[in-house]
């Protein structure tokens, strides 16, 4: 169960309205790697957790924090939308600056939400839950989480570069720090799990049932060999079980597929 | 540019039709972490690559392989659909076994694709490109790739458990091995990049601009302290820059938000 | 900002697993009118609220409760999935009861979430934020909320009828009661707002700017006059401003549209 | 069955082209609460209607009117797109006014529809049928309809404010009036049904099966008591069955959830 | 503007309920090529039509007919859902036949629509408007229409095979006949337009601006020459402007792409 | 299985960056009729092909070519995004030209992809697989393909008109030529199939089972008879089996639908 306190986790006080920037900021609220994504991803991972209680507790702690991040960014966007000009009210309609603002805004910020944040990304695409994963295998999921915090911090940093409002930057500097912690956190949890079960997900599938011949070879499906120069093409594999191989010109190992004609009741192409 | 050869990368020969299993197998073809996802994700990462050529080449090699994985699974599904009973043709309509098959099938395998694979997942939801990411930052993207191969291999293993058709299992044992290699490959590439630039994405944002006070503390947003027991709550941080802290009862640091009343032309709640 | 406590708002303890029912129960978790919808709808209405503080507080209180409803139903679904049979493990594969379970399950509950709840509806369609509205006009939004709680309670009641597990029914009886309260709550808030501003949304648009001739007439776009028999076709209008009229055979009042030919650079149909 | 007449229900004659406004106007054509939504929602409610014939007839009458609203707005948009500048044709490419138009347009109005309306909203997101509901319970559905007409009229009014084209405003003044009538109409139908069956949907669920203890209490999930000040927190409930209560600090009533470890064949986190 | 008459265009009277078949029948109501698609596609093509009035009139006539097809199929589905068993009401819950019905039904037909048709396809995926096109070029669009009627009739025929209910088959035999007419109709309109403007869409782009060298050659991007055996690889081209060529081993004509490093403010991969 | 070569199929070298045009060009990459659509549509048609091998080979040849088209356009977009201004870096932030670029760009090109192409259309909507069809009936599918190449070429031509960059136009002139060939190719394949099996899809449904009375009549669902003037309303039908008829005022042939009241357990409208 959850409780709310009225204060934000950190300040969300822009120095001045900026409806065009409000549109961009939506990306880290309702985008593929926005706060709604990590919030729902962590909550579902926690609710579904069948592992040790310390994991469930940790995941739900961070999930609960993310709800507060959604709250902060939504609050910021609402304030950035203050003073968005409506064409008619303003004599200034022919003023190019006003026009630029109107053109650069998300029209739904005016028409649909009436100057409020929307649960969408920077092009207005609605958030959907296929952005999230809770697989029941924590090593797999913590990799998803590390990725989400990496993509997310990258996007926040890019948004930081696109404004010079000190209030906005202050809030973003908080989020950038938390995303650094969250990357560290998932790396720590991943290290813990990898030490227990090994690096490959899932660790419980019997090795003898997998096609060993192709389990450690890099296949070069192009002309030229630049791809041989990386760590992935030679040396000990990361799971410490074999040497990487470089297969310079991989050959097909399968059949030429010939499908049966379709039965009459399918009304496929007559033969 | 691309060329096709008619042979499959590996055999896709089921021993017998199984239309119900065909529905399930769609998950690793057109699902969130299916082969279409890694195929499109790697191709776009490669096409957009602004880093060293060895990365572009490596990414496109694996992206090209994934097109062949799409081909193999689609071929397998088409064969599993052979012999799917149509209600009318069969006198056996009242046969419970036939009924079970009809009930467990994806109806679109009969009505829409006429016994062919569809670019959808195991509940018939269409593949969409928001499953993929190509961010322009390879460390971020390789973490996305490692996650995709981890979730993907987990799903293939679960599907392996749900059939006893030797032909299907043979193909899956190949994919399971390739997914192991691909996990190893992305781990290797990640290690290489982390050694050059550090563990936190992006590595190029100035530390002094981020809110240092909260950059290494785990915040315990619940009663109880199980979450203190993990690697993430104490000891050196994973980026080696600080000690993890455990903030037992985190307090809000921000304002109570009070938004301005909306202007008249928005026709919000009258006050 | 938010805090979590480990106990559920109410018990979620099924008497026995039932993977087929788990699939159905997803509707009120991640469906169009499931708990995720009201949770996100109320949180965004609260975060964006520009009206009196009592409204913001009330909306966020109920929004916070809804997160706990998501938690309860997710927990219930995970437990209903316990013991879901995997085909191979079970000798019983040819047992029709097992087959029925396997056929009636959501395959993603096995393949994707590993026996956990998913943020999707009963056909596996992912939740998306276009299910929600926060318009900045509270009377409009409270009508959305009243509708959501009406549709939601109707669905919970229908699900109650489809199980006889006492534990499931116990949890549903709690949700049914809360949905009754929530319907009452939104009706109360609506009455309060309607008494202040009138019944029509928005109340602030000048009456003289709207086409009065058609503002109170019911138009009968069909043969027969059954539709004249209702309260909407005669008597005082609900906003008390006029009498309802019944327009027995409404006539077009507009032009026959003739569009200009398209310019050359559009390459439309040549004329 | 349906018939078409060539005249529009009301005039749709803009005074001058305005491709930027055309983009915005899409919201009330193909948006969440646009005319396509009410059209499809009412048609399906009518087709599925199992209640008295006067309801079916009434619902289909208004559904049929809404098709004409789609027609009017589509016609308006096509005319607003007349004269949209193509970059090359115009020497004026460096003219900032032209640039502003080009930047503010929906690019698909040029590339995809060739200066025609599209079945999408103001950010180009396609209309989808999850915007609609036909539940088989008319009181629930009429609340959905009242909400749709409230949100819809709010959006039309906001769009009215954003143009000063007399022809566009004339058409909008017609739609604003019809939306007023439609709000009145659904309020009338709701009153009729509530008088017969009571206020809570569905009215047919036995009271003794619902958890009475929590059926009338407002739960205050936050610090502070502003939320106690409203009509919803004290006094007679709206269904007249009980007194509202204010639960100042609601406590969890459920278990701490502990899920079983997952079975081996799921390959969850090893324990 | 539109009018409704209460009779259906053709009878929709199933002999007996069949909730499992109701699920399948949804495909031709709300699927990619269902009646909602052709209805909305034709209406928008008509509303946007900038060509001769006979085309607009013809397109809207058929668009109006398609609304009646939606009505017929929705009515049929509602009747097929009559008598769908609810688990609890029926003692027969352990009856395998009842179980089969429950398992094969779309759960939303019970929970969401209360035994009514839904605007979705046979896997429950909602209809969306990206299924439709109205491009402003009638030759292009009539090809879209011919395709839609071809895919649509194919699906109806497949559904005909899956039932033996005489009432359902009677309705389908009507739709199959209309789809034949509609294929004929679009072929006729295409022939008319091709005779005026030629076969290639759009016909108005100057030939000298297109890369003539590759305008008539089939490129064989695989080993083996089976693809040379078709009409497309030799002989006069269909537009009568050149001979088809067979390019046995096509070579790349473009550069090896080398992208610039990304600027600092993008925080891409450091180099 | 597939191989990659590093050269592009044709040059993709813009003369100068143009981030606003990059946004538009996305339409033919990830839009409804973009290269991703034809690529996936042809690959799945090929993988699923149950007809003569020459068809499978031909379809996969063109499918393989389309992957190269995706590659070319993605490469072009990445280069058009070079030099996209970031607000902060540039003193020029108040420069209207810079502002126009920033306003006209897709914000995700900066925030999400870091100056790379995205698998989306010109409004940022993600590509999804419901844009494609592989029905198992080649005549139906080749009509889909002809339509896709017609819509696609129309869009490329419209984009050609909107730039004067010689490098972009050079690449588009290649695509315009290939789309001409592909239209010719599908017309040729269609002719071949129609000569074998007739014009109506599917050709295998027995004529006596379809409602002959309505199989060749055009129904005039409106006032006025403009629609009688076309080829579709008189003369020999296109399949040569009958004469077209013009039904001036079509009458309903079906029942007035009366649905049964819903059973109690559905909790529909009480009666
Ligand atoms: Ca966060
Ligand atoms: Ca793979
Ligand atoms: Ca609730
Ligand atoms: Ca309307
Ligand atoms: Ca039809
Ligand atoms: Ca192409």
């Amino acid at each position: 169960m959850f409780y709310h306190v009225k204060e934000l986790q950190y300040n969300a006080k822009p120095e001045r309205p900026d409806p065009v920037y409000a549109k961009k900021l939506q990306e880290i609220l309702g985008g593929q790697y926005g706060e709604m994504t990590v919030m729902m991803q962590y909550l579902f991972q926690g609710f579904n957790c069948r592992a040790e209680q310390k994991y469930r507790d940790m995941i739900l702690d961070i999930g609960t924090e993310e709800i507060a991040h959604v709250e902060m960014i939504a609050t910021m966007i609402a304030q950035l939308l203050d003073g968005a000009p409506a064409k008619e009210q303003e004599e200034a309609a022919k003023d190019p600056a006003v026009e630029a603002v109107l053109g650069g805004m998300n029209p739904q910020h005016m028409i649909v939400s009436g100057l409020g944040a929307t649960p969408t990304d920077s092009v207005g695409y609605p958030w959907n839950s296929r952005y999230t994963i809770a697989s029941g295998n924590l090593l797999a999921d913590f990799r998803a989480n590390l990725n989400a915090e990496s993509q997310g911090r990258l996007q926040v940093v890019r948004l930081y570069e696109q404004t010079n409002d000190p209030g906005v930057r202050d809030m973003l500097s908080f989020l950038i720090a938390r995303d650094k912690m969250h990357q560290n956190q998932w790396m720590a949890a991943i290290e813990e799990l990898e030490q227990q079960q090994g690096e490959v997900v899932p660790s419980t599938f019997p090795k003898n049932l997998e096609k060993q011949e192709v389990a450690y070879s890099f296949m070069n499906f192009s002309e030229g060999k630049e791809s041989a120069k990386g760590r992935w093409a030679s040396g000990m594999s990361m799971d410490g079980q074999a040497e990487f191989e470089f297969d310079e010109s991989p050959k097909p190992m399968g059949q030429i597929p010939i499908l049966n004609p379709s039965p009459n009741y399918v009304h496929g192409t007559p033969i």
Side-chain angles (χ1 to χ4, degrees), chain A:
Chain A
M1 204 175 79
F2 295 81
Y3 293 104
H4 184 239
V5 297
K6 294 195 174 61
E7 293 86 358
L8 299 175
Q9 188 186 12
Y10 191 74
N11 278 326
K13 293 180 181 166
E15 197 156 276
R16 56 185 173 277
D18 186 345
V20 175
Y21 192 77
K23 171 182 170 172
K24 294 178 189 169
L25 200 52
Q26 289 280 159
E27 188 66 35
I28 57 167
L29 176 58
Q32 185 184 7
Y33 292 110
E35 301 290 350
M36 290 178 70
T37 293
V38 283
M39 162 187 162
M40 296 307 309
Q41 179 155 301
Y42 300 162
L43 291 179
F44 270 81
Q45 287 177 7
F47 297 155
N48 286 333
C49 186
R50 293 174 181 275
E52 263 184 85
Q53 289 301 305
K54 72 172 183 179
Y55 291 114
R56 170 187 276 263
D57 191 22
M58 178 268 277
I59 297 168
L60 288 175
D61 281 345
I62 179 172
T64 305
E65 178 177 356
E66 303 294 1
I67 318 178
H69 292 190
V70 171
E71 186 182 34
M72 285 163 63
I73 300 178
T75 302
M76 177 62 86
I77 288 172
Q79 293 170 96
L80 288 167
L81 290 171
D82 270 340
K87 199 163 188 176
E88 262 306 277
Q89 283 69 18
E90 316 280 340
E91 277 311 293
K94 291 136 216 160
D95 178 337
V98 171
E99 195 65 44
V101 170
L102 291 167
M105 279 185 67
N106 178 335
Q108 295 188 330
H109 277 160
M110 185 70 87
I111 305 168
V112 177
S113 70
L115 307 182
T118 51
T120 64
D121 68 15
S122 63
V123 297
Y125 184 75
W127 188 88
N128 79 78
S129 70
R130 280 289 202 284
Y131 290 162
T132 70
I133 183 67
S135 74
N137 182 301
L138 290 184
L139 180 50
D141 287 354
F142 291 174
R143 287 174 176 174
N145 300 352
L146 176 57
N147 175 50
E149 298 286 350
S150 300
Q151 303 287 349
R153 190 171 184 266
L154 179 61
Q155 295 181 359
V156 180
V157 162
R158 285 169 176 169
L159 281 161
Y160 188 99
E161 303 277 11
Q162 294 178 55
T163 182
N164 53 18
D165 184 304
V168 177
R169 286 193 150 190
D170 185 40
M171 184 189 78
L172 297 183
S173 76
F174 178 86
L175 293 171
I176 290 167
R178 292 309 292 157
D179 284 358
K180 176 188 273 189
M181 172 57 195
H182 292 162
Q183 287 185 41
N184 271 284
Q185 171 182 343
W186 297 122
M187 282 189 272
I190 286 168
E191 188 186 82
E192 205 178 87
L193 288 173
E194 286 182 348
Q195 283 171 359
Q196 290 162 26
Q197 60 182 265
E199 286 81 0
V200 175
V201 170
S203 58
T204 43
F205 189 74
K207 199 189 275 195
N208 63 306
L209 296 180
E210 108 196 316
K211 189 69 50 182
Q212 287 304 307
E213 304 85 298
V214 294
Y216 294 98
S217 68
F218 182 90
M219 296 183 185
N220 180 45
F221 282 99
S222 60
E223 298 168 347
K225 300 178 48 174
E226 286 93 335
S227 58
K229 293 178 194 160
R231 174 68 186 82
W232 50 80
S234 60
M236 178 60 65
S237 70
M238 304 307 286
D239 61 7
Q241 304 293 309
E243 292 278 321
F244 281 130
E245 294 161 26
F246 184 78
D247 181 353
E248 189 171 338
S249 60
K251 295 284 171 295
M253 303 163 71
Q255 87 261 33
I256 295 186
I258 313 271
L259 301 180
N260 292 334
S262 59
N264 291 341
Y265 55 81
V266 166
H267 296 274
T269 312
I271 302 193

